[in-house]
Amino acid sequence: MSENATTAWGYGIATIDTATNTVLDTWFPDPQIGPPPANFDPHLIPSSLGHLEGDDAARGVHLMGVTTASDLTQPPASTSDAYLRLHLLSHCLVQPNSMNLEGIFGILPLVAFTNRGPISPEFYGEHRIQMQREGIVIQSLDRFPPLLGYVTPPRVRIADAARVRLGAHLSPGTTVMHEGFVNFNAGTLGASMVEGRISQGVVVGDGTDIGGGASIMGTLSGGGHQVISLGKRCLLGANAGIGISLGDDCVVEAGLYVTAGTKVTVLADGQTTQTKASALSGKPGLLYRRNSMTGAVEVLPRDGHGVSLNEALHS
């Protein structure tokens, strides 16, 4: 995996709406980091992909082989370019927040992702009864498709395919339970338990547990450009939430939501001080809790390591 890749390339199969010639998606089975090889020909694709080309009249699309080379320091230039970058993330070839995704919402078209593949929403609407008779069902209407339609990450468990978007970075050993959600350009850097929400831009360290109903504020949900991260062996309790980063071995108790502006009382070395939670962002070995008598949010230092995941579950 590369944290500072500047170029990438790949051979793919694009799904193109026949009526409008709009590229709906592009599948890259084997994306590559680095500059294209010397024999890279933008007009030729491997025979292993070429046999997939052709029309699919039932979906109103045709499939076409494409070659794509990307400058990852620049914004995506096309739908295929954007899909290549999402594949790089989901193949764990690059880490979240390591390449330019500016303008990706404007690049990606709105697509009806079905059990037979992507379809133009307009085409589906015009042929709805015929589609239903043929067993074609919309699984999502979105700009980002479900991850498992394009990538099968090794040694990863995903209980509900609809809750993990293409562009999610899931390291081996990660488990995403039924209510877990992982957005694009976000994910895990090691074996983790995900029962809550990992928003866009958020990265979660090895051995960390995101409890049921827990939420992490991402760069698209009020966090601005601040990147939120959780360190190793952290526990974000059930129905808890954070808008700050956690260092290694931190715990946020169940039901407590800590944002950057939350006023906290720090209890350490026999002294009591008050500050905003943003002043503690990224610091390791802390317990965040709410005093059941006063309602104040308190922060205490923790000794030793944080949580330990079930090794058999995440092996």
Side-chain angles (χ1 to χ4, degrees):
M1 177 172 58
S2 174
E3 296 183 34
N4 300 299
T6 59
T7 56
W9 62 279
Y11 298 106
I13 290 290
T15 306
I16 303 173
D17 179 59
T18 303
T20 63
N21 205 36
T22 300
V23 176
L24 301 179
D25 80 337
T26 307
W27 172 55
F28 292 95
D30 188 26
Q32 299 291 320
I33 286 295
N39 62 350
F40 182 79
D41 188 335
H43 304 292
L44 295 175
I45 63 169
S47 57
S48 59
L49 291 179
H51 77 281
L52 299 174
E53 293 183 305
D55 294 332
D56 186 344
R59 292 191 288 141
V61 302
H62 64 275
L63 306 181
M64 184 177 74
V66 297
T67 56
T68 302
S70 298
D71 179 351
L72 303 181
T73 67
Q74 298 299 313
S78 66
T79 298
S80 292
D81 186 351
Y83 265 84
L84 176 60
R85 299 176 196 226
L86 296 177
H87 278 75
L88 294 175
L89 286 161
S90 291
H91 279 271
C92 292
L93 295 174
V94 300
Q95 288 190 3
N97 307 307
S98 66
M99 59 182 166
N100 193 333
L101 296 176
E102 183 180 353
I104 194 169
F105 288 99
I107 289 288
L108 296 178
L110 186 63
V111 175
F113 295 102
T114 77
N115 57 332
R116 281 276 297 273
I119 301 176
S120 160
E122 293 76 17
F123 184 88
Y124 192 96
E126 293 169 2
H127 301 83
R128 182 178 303 273
I129 299 301
Q130 179 183 347
M131 295 279 188
Q132 293 173 346
R133 286 174 177 170
E134 295 183 8
I136 301 178
V137 179
I138 293 180
Q139 296 174 324
S140 66
L141 191 63
D142 202 353
R143 299 185 187 277
F144 295 83
L147 166 71
L148 294 184
Y150 299 80
V151 179
T152 307
R155 294 177 46 222
V156 167
R157 297 172 59 211
I158 299 175
D160 186 344
R163 297 186 65 81
V164 181
R165 278 174 152 181
L166 180 64
H169 180 292
L170 301 179
S171 294
T174 295
T175 293
V176 184
M177 295 301 290
H178 296 78
E179 295 304 316
F181 173 82
V182 187
N183 211 336
F184 79 100
N185 195 37
T188 62
L189 304 182
S192 301
M193 170 62 78
V194 182
E195 297 179 275
R197 179 183 180 87
I198 300 179
S199 300
Q200 196 277 143
V202 172
V203 290
V204 175
D206 184 38
T208 286
D209 187 333
I210 310 300
S215 180
I216 307 166
M217 186 181 293
T219 54
L220 298 180
S221 56
H225 296 288
Q226 181 181 5
V227 176
I228 303 298
S229 63
L230 282 77
K232 300 177 181 178
R233 301 175 301 275
C234 291
L235 172 62
L236 187 58
N239 297 315
I242 54 170
I244 62 170
S245 293
L246 299 181
D248 296 343
D249 305 305
C250 287
V251 172
V252 179
E253 76 166 10
L256 176 62
Y257 207 118
V258 181
T259 66
T262 300
K263 294 181 179 180
V264 299
T265 300
V266 182
L267 308 177
D269 301 323
Q271 297 183 349
T272 300
T273 58
Q274 290 188 330
T275 186
K276 289 186 177 180
S278 58
L280 304 176
S281 183
K283 294 188 177 182
L286 298 177
L287 166 64
Y288 293 80
R289 72 182 187 188
R290 187 176 296 280
N291 187 303
S292 60
M293 299 295 291
T294 66
V297 178
E298 299 176 339
V299 183
L300 294 77
R302 298 182 69 255
D303 294 328
H305 291 307
V307 300
S308 296
L309 300 180
N310 185 323
E311 292 186 7
L313 186 64
H314 296 272
S315 63

